Amino acid sequence: MNTTTAITPTVIEATSETTPAQRRRRPERRVRGMWREPFVAVSTLTVTIYALACVVPLWIIFSSSLTAERTLVRTGFSLWPTDFSLEAYQVLFSGSETLVNAYFSTLFITVVGTAGAVMATLGMAWVISRRTVMARRLMVVVYIPMVFSGGLVPLYILVTQVLQLRNTYWAVILPLLVSPFLVFVAMAFFRSIPESVLESARIDGANELRTFFAIVLPIAKPIVAVIALFYAVAYWNEWFFPLLFISDQELRPLQLLLQNMIGNLNAAQALQPTSGVQAPVYQLRMALTVVTIGPIILAYPFVQRFFVTGLTLGATKG
Amino acid sequence: MRPDRSILVLALPALAFFAVFSYGPMVGAIVAFKDFNVVEGIFGSPWNGLENFRFFFESGNAGRVIRNTLILNALFIGGTITAGMAMAVMINEIRFRLLKRTAQSVIFLPYFISPIVISVMLQAFLSGFGGSGGVVNNMLGGLGISPVSWYTEPGAWPWILTIVKIWQLAGYTSIIYLAAMTAIPPDVYEAAVLDGASRWKIALRVTVPLIMPVTVILLILQVGRIFMGDFGTIYAIIGDNGTLFPTTDVIDTYVFRALRTSGNLGMTAAVGLFQSVVGFILIAATALIARRVSRKSGGF
């Protein structure tokens, strides 16, 4: 991808949607009849099957979450909810505070984490994108954590003993706040902004800070979206730090709740409003999975192209 | 350019983050050489030399977790790069635009599914619900093969985990390849078509060689990290299922379990530091080799 053309949002969006074949459409037309070309037929078939393999498991989870426990236990899974039942969702959404707490935890971690992460990342990226001596030094500071870490134990001691963050959302948000990789992705984008644009701002008397907020950020909207989305997904799916630092059941995010449920069927009982009744444990597990990935699946069609943009930018520059 | 220090304000949050959460633990890694106790803390605890490292290497676990880390990562790297490249080449051949676009967006989707959710799906497929056997065993039954108790079968897991990794990452990798393909000039293809080459020949002799630089870059990036386990996925799926440890216990899962159960923080830190140092050496070595290779071939 051409760096210099990537500064306007429209160009970025266009690039992400132009597939290699679209650009080469004309020569391909000369080859008539795809079925005479065995490789084209095989490719079409293989890609179709693989694409199905990517969505069918998710569909099966969804369909199983709508299938009554008795059928689920007998058949193992359900491609279509023949024995339709909403029992699991009724249990999930009736009364029990476990799900509400988990959803709140995940939302808090995702929203606050992403906001902080985006600010820290963009600020750093802008500073190191300037071609100064200081920028080069700071770049090394960002680069070293990419290739070397002190290991899990010092971090564990830091979070639990020194900062005393155990059983707070900050124990999940802070250790993941800045991804060096995304700093470099943003840096690559900032570097693609022509110096002339920035120069005109300086001539108008804007200082570096003002240039950043008034000129650079508005141009950088697409990359801001990409970076925000990457962080949001990472925080939403994060379960390692919750596993390590959060033992208070009220603070458990969704992923940890789900993990607890796989390991321990009795955890499903915690989602029951009243005790004594047999919970539909397997169906409930499926329903909780649906609830956990739901927002990602729903948002996916709308945000997918941003990820592609970020990835191609990262791949060609990073 | 006129140096303007005010810009540093923007870097402060990230700098604070790196200082505390990246460089802090690097200093704290000295705990690997200490007989750690909570009361005296990292700096107050007495030194004990290489005792922690000796403890790990004599525990009998070292060989197993190091071997598993290397084998699994080699399988993951090989599997995802091959599958990602194959998928990109094949997507490139599809003529139906709608299918092409749909496939491109759909195969990227698994990248966003959390390891925990993958673990739930895997359990449903491999062992079913309440002993019903699961999809895979039902299919094996259809072929007349007796069902396998997957969760007690360590031999199968390197392959199962590789399939999971491919499912997660092949789409992601293929997008990188597809981006590289946009840079191939159309006249190269036109020439091949005029020469009467079949699509298979064109893919094999034109597309694949021209995207090789991407493969080299991906390999360099990942081979350097071959000593770092994939904790998120492996622990989410295997958990504390000891039956599967012989083939699936990697350095990261071992460190995590040791941290939670043994309470011997010094030894655990030693394992982590050992991993970081060897990992760093591998990254530096691959970077050096890569630089030499690229200089010889005129750079890419």
Side-chain angles (χ1 to χ4, degrees), chain A residues 237-248:
Chain A
N237 283 341
E238 177 57 30
W239 71 284
F240 175 56
F241 285 109
L243 182 68
L244 208 51
F245 298 126
I246 293 183
S247 52
D248 186 340

Side-chain angles (χ1 to χ4, degrees), chain A residues 155-197:
Chain A
L155 183 70
Y156 180 80
I157 296 173
L158 174 74
V159 173
T160 56
Q161 313 282 328
V162 182
L163 302 173
Q164 302 278 357
L165 293 175
R166 199 198 287 269
N167 277 326
T168 65
Y169 296 136
W170 303 110
V172 182
I173 293 175
L174 292 180
L176 291 165
L177 198 65
V178 183
S179 145
F181 172 74
L182 291 178
V183 173
F184 286 120
V185 169
M187 183 199 79
F189 181 88
F190 288 149
R191 286 217 165 146
S192 72
I193 300 174
E195 209 46 49
S196 57
V197 174

Side-chain angles (χ1 to χ4, degrees), chain B residues 85-135:
Chain B
M85 183 164 70
M87 207 49 68
V89 170
M90 287 193 285
I91 287 175
N92 199 32
E93 296 300 326
I94 297 179
R95 302 297 161 82
F96 309 114
R97 283 184 62 195
L98 183 67
L99 174 65
K100 190 169 188 160
R101 289 187 65 137
T102 318
Q104 257 176 301
S105 37
V106 159
I107 62 170
F108 192 22
L109 179 62
Y111 179 76
F112 302 100
I113 305 301
S114 76
I116 298 291
V117 170
I118 291 179
S119 174
V120 173
M121 295 195 297
L122 210 55
Q123 263 190 25
F125 296 150
L126 293 180
S127 70
F129 307 111
S132 60
V135 189

Side-chain angles (χ1 to χ4, degrees), chain A residues 17-25 27-28 30-31 34-35 37 39-40 42-44 46-48 50-51 53-55 57-58 60-61 64 72-77 120 123-124 126-127 130-132 134 138 140-142 144-159 161 163 165 174-178 180 195 202 207-209 212-213 230 233 237 239-240 243-244 255 258-259 262 282 285-286 289 292-293 296-297 300 304 307-308 311-312 315, chain B residues 1-2 4-11 13-15 17-18 20-23 25-26 28-29 31 36 38 42 87 89-97 99-101 103-117 119-121 123-125 128-132 134-135 138 166-167 170-172 175-176 178-179 181-182 184 186 189-190 193-194 197-200 203 225 228 231-232 235-236 255-256 259-260 265 268-269 272-273 276-277 279-280 283:
Chain A
E17 298 206 336
T18 313
T19 59
Q22 278 168 293
R23 287 189 185 171
R24 283 196 304 277
R25 212 174 309 140
E28 272 183 358
R30 289 191 199 144
V31 191
M34 64 168 279
W35 302 112
E37 283 278 5
F39 184 54
V40 177
V42 169
S43 297
T44 310
T46 315
V47 172
T48 309
Y50 186 75
C54 289
V55 281
L58 301 173
I60 289 179
I61 298 287
S64 300
L72 218 47
V73 172
R74 206 177 56 243
T75 59
F77 70 102
M124 186 52 137
W126 172 246
V127 174
R130 304 296 80 212
R131 298 172 199 279
T132 59
M134 180 183 68
L138 285 180
V140 177
V141 173
V142 182
I144 290 174
M146 244 175 142
V147 292
F148 188 78
S149 85
L152 181 61
V153 174
L155 183 70
Y156 180 80
I157 296 173
L158 174 74
V159 173
Q161 313 282 328
L163 302 173
L165 293 175
L174 292 180
L176 291 165
L177 198 65
V178 183
E195 209 46 49
R202 286 194 200 102
N207 63 12
E208 288 287 342
L209 280 181
F212 178 68
F213 287 108
F230 267 105
V233 170
N237 283 341
W239 71 284
F240 175 56
L243 182 68
L244 208 51
Q255 307 288 347
L258 192 58
Q259 196 255 353
I262 322 172
Y282 296 108
R285 197 192 280 178
M286 295 298 117
T289 310
T292 305
I293 53 177
I296 287 187
I297 304 280
Y300 184 72
Q304 181 256 132
F307 284 111
V308 175
L311 203 54
T312 23
Chain B
M1 189 171 58
R2 180 172 51 92
D4 183 351
R5 295 268 156 186
S6 69
I7 195 178
L8 264 181
V9 174
L10 295 171
L15 278 178
F17 164 81
F18 285 120
V20 176
F21 290 100
S22 300
Y23 293 96
M26 285 184 208
V31 70
F36 180 78
V38 178
I42 291 182
M87 207 49 68
V89 170
M90 287 193 285
I91 287 175
N92 199 32
E93 296 300 326
I94 297 179
R95 302 297 161 82
F96 309 114
R97 283 184 62 195
L99 174 65
K100 190 169 188 160
R101 289 187 65 137
Q104 257 176 301
S105 37
V106 159
I107 62 170
F108 192 22
L109 179 62
Y111 179 76
F112 302 100
I113 305 301
S114 76
I116 298 291
V117 170
S119 174
V120 173
M121 295 195 297
Q123 263 190 25
F125 296 150
F129 307 111
S132 60
V135 189
N138 291 350
I166 289 178
W167 189 77
Y172 178 96
I175 302 237
I176 297 175
L178 284 167
M181 283 182 199
T182 57
I184 302 176
Y189 284 95
E190 277 169 52
V193 170
L194 285 178
S198 68
R199 290 307 304 183
W200 165 243
R225 303 189 64 81
M228 314 289 169
F231 179 89
Y235 192 76
V255 166
F256 175 75
L259 178 63
R260 286 197 120 186
L265 285 184
T268 315
L273 186 61
S276 285
V277 170
F280 175 71
I283 293 175

